[in-house]
Amino acid sequence: MATTFEKNGPSTHEQCDMSILSQTRQKLEGLLNKNMRIRMTDGRTLVGLFLCTDRDCNIILGSAQEFLKSTDTFSQGEPRVLGLAMIPGHHVVSIEVEADILEDTQGFGRNH
């Protein structure tokens, strides 16, 4: 079995992988402290601030609220306040990032 060593730093393939990892990290960092809605395998939905994640895709939400799956599609009922919550990655079905209020109202109130 042959082993090759790179004398002049990482190979082109490794540099490409590092670039992708850097872009992914930047995207994740941009989502920090954003409101997220996470749907789980048991039908519950958690809404809270995205604080962190790990390599197993576990997610920590701050100021989290839990909404139970309701039979009525128009109402989700009263939320249960959880505070700090950890969602195991294998229970995550979908993740939605709520739009910033400032982005939605930038043109509001301006005189043209």
Side-chain angles (χ1 to χ4, degrees), residues 66-78:
E66 174 188 55
F67 295 87
L68 298 177
K69 184 178 182 180
S70 75
T71 55
D72 180 10
T73 57
F74 295 107
S75 70
Q76 290 190 335
E78 290 293 315

Side-chain angles (χ1 to χ4, degrees), residues 3-19:
T3 304
T4 57
F5 294 97
E6 295 288 334
K7 292 183 181 180
N8 297 326
S11 67
T12 305
H13 180 69
E14 289 171 342
Q15 289 173 349
C16 182
D17 288 345
M18 294 299 279
S19 175

Side-chain angles (χ1 to χ4, degrees), residues 11-59:
S11 67
T12 305
H13 180 69
E14 289 171 342
Q15 289 173 349
C16 182
D17 288 345
M18 294 299 279
S19 175
I20 291 170
L21 287 174
S22 176
Q23 290 173 358
T24 304
R25 183 181 178 118
Q26 286 177 351
K27 286 181 183 179
L28 276 174
E29 287 175 352
L31 295 175
L32 288 173
N33 297 313
K34 302 280 185 187
N35 268 332
M36 288 193 164
R37 179 181 312 269
I38 299 178
R39 289 190 174 77
M40 298 173 50
T41 55
D42 61 1
R44 291 180 295 163
T45 300
L46 297 180
V47 177
L49 293 176
F50 174 60
L51 297 180
C52 69
T53 188
D54 61 14
R55 65 181 69 182
D56 295 325
C57 297
N58 300 314
I59 298 171

